[in-house]
Structures are given as structure tokens and as C-alpha cells.
Amino acid sequence: TKLSSDIQSIRTLYQQAPSAFINYINKNTSKSIGDMAHSTTTTTATTMASMTKKRTAIGATTAEVPIFLQKAYHMIDTCEPTICSWSDDGLTFIVKNTSLFETTIIPQFFKHNKFSSFVRQLNFYGFRKVKFSNSLKIDHKLEAQTAKFWRFRHEKFRRGRKDLLTEIKRTPSAAGSSSSTTAPVVPR
């Protein structure tokens, strides 16, 4: 019965991490089944832990990323480009039509439909409003079209880089307080 218990343990370990198990067997074929089952349990646990660390380093798991950031990223990625989109370089995102964004997009992802609440959340996470202005004002028509656009930037919030979202943290003053003394999004 001990042997069948050891075999069952080995079978379970093989199912959890086959390559780690096979590598271990190839190195330790002179040991008894019981010794291998015990040693493999330890080796597999270590291997699984290192695989988890690698996975975290390569691509963030959604549990580590605040839900607001997950939703905001997905919202921008999937939004109609005439309402909201990434900038050409992917370093900022642009809300082109705040009215439609507020009435049609925000309610799909959040329990409210207020653009100001969305902006406040961005501010809590360190986003900044980017002042976009062509200082030469060569194209007056383009200037007029983009005058009401809202551009936001965070150095860790970039198109195609979801892995950076784990590095965005809520600012300490915002996490413990709900007062109205939080600094507004400031144009740069």
C-alpha cells in the first residue's frame, strides 16, 4: 500500500509538471520509488515556484493589477477610435469625445457614467493630463478639431505593454483619504 501511495504521488506530480518530473527521474534513477516521490515533491514545488516567478516577471497576472487599471486599459484598447484611442506612439491615450465617452463607454466598464470620476481615478494612479498644442498653430482647422481632446499619460501605461500595469500603484494620499484635497489632473 505504501508503494501504491508512492506511485499515486509520482503520477500526480507528473501531471502537474511533466518536464520537471522527467528531468528529475533521469538524474535520479538509482533511488527507490519512495525516495523519489519525496524528493520529487520538494523539487516540483521549487520548480513550480520558479515558474510562477518567471510568469510574473514576463507577464503580469490580472490579480496583481488593480481592477480600475485593467478596465481602463481594456476600455481604451476596444473603444471606437472616434471616441477614445491610443496616440500614434502609444505613450498616451486620447479621449476625443468626452460626451460619448461618458454616456456610452464608461457605463460599460464602471458603475457610473461620470467623466470627472474617471479622471479622478486616473489622478489617484498618477496619470497626468497632457496639454497638446501645436505652438506654431500652422493648421488652424486641426487645432480647432483637437482643442477639446483630453490626453492622459503615465510612464507605465502604454499600448501593448500590459506587463507594466503591475508597476502602477495608487498614490498613498489617495488610498487612505477620500477628501477633496487630492490634487487635480494638472496639464504639463
Side-chain angles (χ1 to χ4, degrees):
T1 56
K2 173 142 175 45
L3 181 61
S4 64
S5 163
D6 291 338
I7 291 172
Q8 183 59 38
S9 296
I10 291 170
R11 185 175 292 138
T12 302
L13 292 170
Y14 176 76
Q15 291 169 346
Q16 291 175 349
S19 60
F21 180 77
I22 290 169
N23 288 338
Y24 183 79
I25 293 295
N26 289 337
K27 292 178 187 175
N28 299 290
T29 52
S30 63
K31 292 185 176 182
S32 72
I33 297 290
D35 290 343
M36 284 194 301
H38 174 71
S39 298
T40 306
T41 303
T42 307
T43 303
T44 303
T46 305
T47 303
M48 296 294 275
S50 72
M51 288 169 66
T52 303
K53 287 178 186 171
K54 287 177 187 170
R55 187 180 317 121
T56 302
I58 294 169
T61 60
T62 55
E64 299 166 348
V65 179
I67 193 74
F68 172 78
L69 295 174
Q70 291 176 37
K71 288 180 177 184
Y73 195 93
H74 182 67
M75 183 169 49
I76 295 157
D77 263 357
T78 59
C79 191
E80 172 64 38
T82 58
I83 300 171
C84 178
S85 67
W86 291 101
S87 61
D88 290 339
D89 62 7
L91 300 178
T92 63
F93 71 92
I94 309 159
V95 178
K96 299 174 182 176
N97 186 329
T98 55
S99 300
L100 281 175
F101 188 77
E102 186 173 61
T103 58
T104 61
I105 305 302
I106 291 175
Q108 292 177 30
F109 294 89
F110 302 101
K111 294 178 182 177
H112 64 84
N113 64 347
K114 295 180 180 176
F115 185 66
S116 61
S117 295
F118 178 74
V119 170
R120 185 166 191 234
Q121 283 295 315
L122 290 173
N123 188 49
F124 284 160
Y125 285 97
F127 284 77
R128 294 292 171 244
K129 185 177 179 193
V130 177
K131 177 88 170 146
F132 181 74
S133 174
N134 182 351
S135 60
L136 298 177
K137 297 188 181 190
I138 296 171
D139 189 345
H140 295 289
K141 185 177 178 182
L142 178 63
E143 186 74 23
Q145 289 174 343
T146 61
K148 293 187 178 183
F149 286 8
W150 286 63
R151 294 173 183 267
F152 297 96
R153 182 184 184 286
H154 190 290
E155 65 182 40
K156 305 290 184 183
F157 195 84
R158 298 179 176 192
R159 180 180 56 218
R161 294 294 312 271
K162 276 186 164 180
D163 58 306
L164 295 176
L165 295 179
T166 56
E167 298 178 33
I168 301 175
K169 303 296 180 208
R170 195 172 162 114
T171 56
S173 62
S177 163
S178 62
S179 71
S180 60
T181 60
T182 305
V185 172
V186 179
R188 281 192 162 180

